Every structure is written in structure tokens, then in C-alpha cells.
Amino acid sequence: GIARAQATDRISAFDSKITADRDRTLHVQEEFQIANDTGLFDRGFHRRLWIKPVNSQRAKPGSFQLIGARIDGHDAVLRANSDKGVLDIGIATDTGTLARGDHVIELSYTANYQFAIFDSFEDLNQDVSGEWPVSIEKAGVGLNLPEGLPKDALISASTGTDSNFRFDCVRTDPPSGVRFQTTHSLAPGNRLFISARF
């Protein structure tokens, strides 16, 4: 009883696998392990993705397609809508709810127009985990380029907020990409961010 009383809603683990095609399309697979102990996720799990705007380095606004999701290994019901530059993806069961307890949420999608294109280089700056009102106990991201990383690629990952961040992730280098893992839990409102220059 004491343990249940002390439990709080949280994201126990988050992992993202990003594969970049030659045409800059990103294929993203995310997994969230969540604890819905006090009811924050009763009405479903909402993933919010920032829609990058058109500017001098981006010909079209960022977009997301081929969205699929599963809850505890079963196909989920998806509801997506965009407002004020954010795509909100609602993920729930057939009843539109999510039961109390622990769950595994899997989300996959493709993302286009995420790169900023300059004359001599390209930048990919992504808020990978998103910002949540609950803590994320551990988070990781892998960036995979099937043909290998370009020779002069500069890639880093940080945790925190836009105004207060640290480059404190552990990096490993698999054969065709790079992977980062957090070294501490992320407080509510903090995120895992990846920066890459090619």
C-alpha cells in the first residue's frame, strides 16, 4: 500500500531509432514504457511532434506520414490533429482510454523536411523525446545512415531545455551511425535533443 501511494505517473524508458534515407526522409521507431499509476494517461497517450516551419533553409514545412502505433503489442486507435505548429497524436485502446498500470507504447512514422539546407552543409536538429509533464527515467536515441556517417559529420546530444542544457549523454558508434544514452533521469519539461551537421 505504501509503495502504491508513493508511485507516480512517469515514463520509465524511452527509445528512438531514426534511419535517414539519401533523400533525407527519416524513418522513426519510438518505444515508451510508461506507468499510468494515478491517471495522467487515462484518456490515452498523446505524442506531440513539432512541425518545422518553412524558411530560407527549408522549402516546405515539416510533415509526418505513415503513422502506426501499438499498445502492449496490440494495434492502437490513433487520432491526429495539428494546431499552432504541433501535430498531436492520440494513442488509445478501442474504448479511447488507457488502463491503470504499466504499458508499452510503440509509435512509428516517417518525417520529411526536417533538415535545414545551407550552401555547404546540412543541419538536423531534433527534440527527440518531446517535453512531458512527467519525468523520463532513461532515454536513448540512435541515428542510422545505411551508407555510413559522412566523414566530417558532427553529431551531439544534449538534455535539458532550450535555455538550460548539458551535453551529458553517453555516445557509442555502431557501424552505420551513432547512439546516445542519457546518464540521469529527465525532470518534467526536459528533453533529449540531438544535433547533427553533415
Side-chain angles (χ1 to χ4, degrees), residues 19-27 111-115 117 122:
T19 300
D21 289 345
R22 287 184 61 87
D23 66 358
R24 304 185 189 92
T25 299
L26 301 182
H27 303 273
N112 292 298
Y113 301 102
Q114 304 299 306
F115 285 76
I117 312 300
E122 302 180 13

Side-chain angles (χ1 to χ4, degrees), residues 76-139:
V77 175
L78 291 174
R79 295 180 177 86
N81 63 78
S82 57
D83 182 45
K84 297 180 180 179
V86 174
L87 176 66
D88 182 280
I89 305 170
I91 305 169
T93 61
D94 292 339
T95 62
T97 62
L98 200 59
R100 297 289 173 91
D102 296 339
H103 300 281
V104 176
I105 310 293
E106 299 170 89
L107 176 65
S108 62
Y109 55 89
T110 60
N112 292 298
Y113 301 102
Q114 304 299 306
F115 285 76
I117 312 300
F118 297 87
D119 289 339
S120 58
F121 61 89
E122 302 180 13
D123 278 346
L124 175 65
N125 297 301
Q126 298 286 106
D127 178 350
V128 176
S129 64
E131 299 168 15
W132 297 86
V134 296
S135 63
I136 303 176
E137 294 183 350
K138 59 181 179 178

Side-chain angles (χ1 to χ4, degrees), residues 146-195:
E147 297 181 17
L149 289 178
K151 181 179 179 181
D152 298 323
L154 300 173
I155 306 175
S156 61
S158 63
T159 61
T161 65
D162 287 340
S163 59
N164 183 17
F165 56 88
R166 295 180 289 172
F167 295 95
D168 53 4
C169 296
V170 173
R171 172 174 171 159
T172 55
D173 293 276
S176 60
V178 60
R179 179 169 175 80
F180 295 95
Q181 187 72 40
T182 56
T183 56
H184 56 87
S185 64
L186 305 180
N190 284 233
R191 81 289 186 267
L192 171 61
F193 192 92
I194 191 169
S195 301

Side-chain angles (χ1 to χ4, degrees), residues 47-66:
R47 179 67 164 112
R48 294 167 59 83
L49 301 172
W50 178 48
I51 301 172
K52 295 183 178 181
V54 172
N55 56 31
S56 56
Q57 288 80 43
R58 186 175 297 105
K60 295 183 179 181
S63 62
F64 305 95
Q65 296 86 27
L66 301 177

Side-chain angles (χ1 to χ4, degrees), residues 5-79:
Q6 292 176 337
T8 59
D9 298 326
R10 64 196 178 279
I11 297 173
S12 305
F14 164 79
D15 190 73
S16 177
K17 296 179 176 66
I18 304 171
T19 300
D21 289 345
R22 287 184 61 87
D23 66 358
R24 304 185 189 92
T25 299
L26 301 182
H27 303 273
V28 183
Q29 293 179 304
E30 298 178 343
E31 181 180 285
F32 293 84
Q33 297 177 29
I34 68 169
N36 186 36
D37 292 332
T38 61
L40 178 68
F41 303 114
D42 280 358
R43 295 187 178 181
F45 184 83
H46 284 262
R47 179 67 164 112
R48 294 167 59 83
L49 301 172
W50 178 48
I51 301 172
K52 295 183 178 181
V54 172
N55 56 31
S56 56
Q57 288 80 43
R58 186 175 297 105
K60 295 183 179 181
S63 62
F64 305 95
Q65 296 86 27
L66 301 177
I67 300 171
R70 293 168 67 83
I71 299 174
D72 300 329
H74 303 284
D75 290 341
V77 175
L78 291 174
R79 295 180 177 86

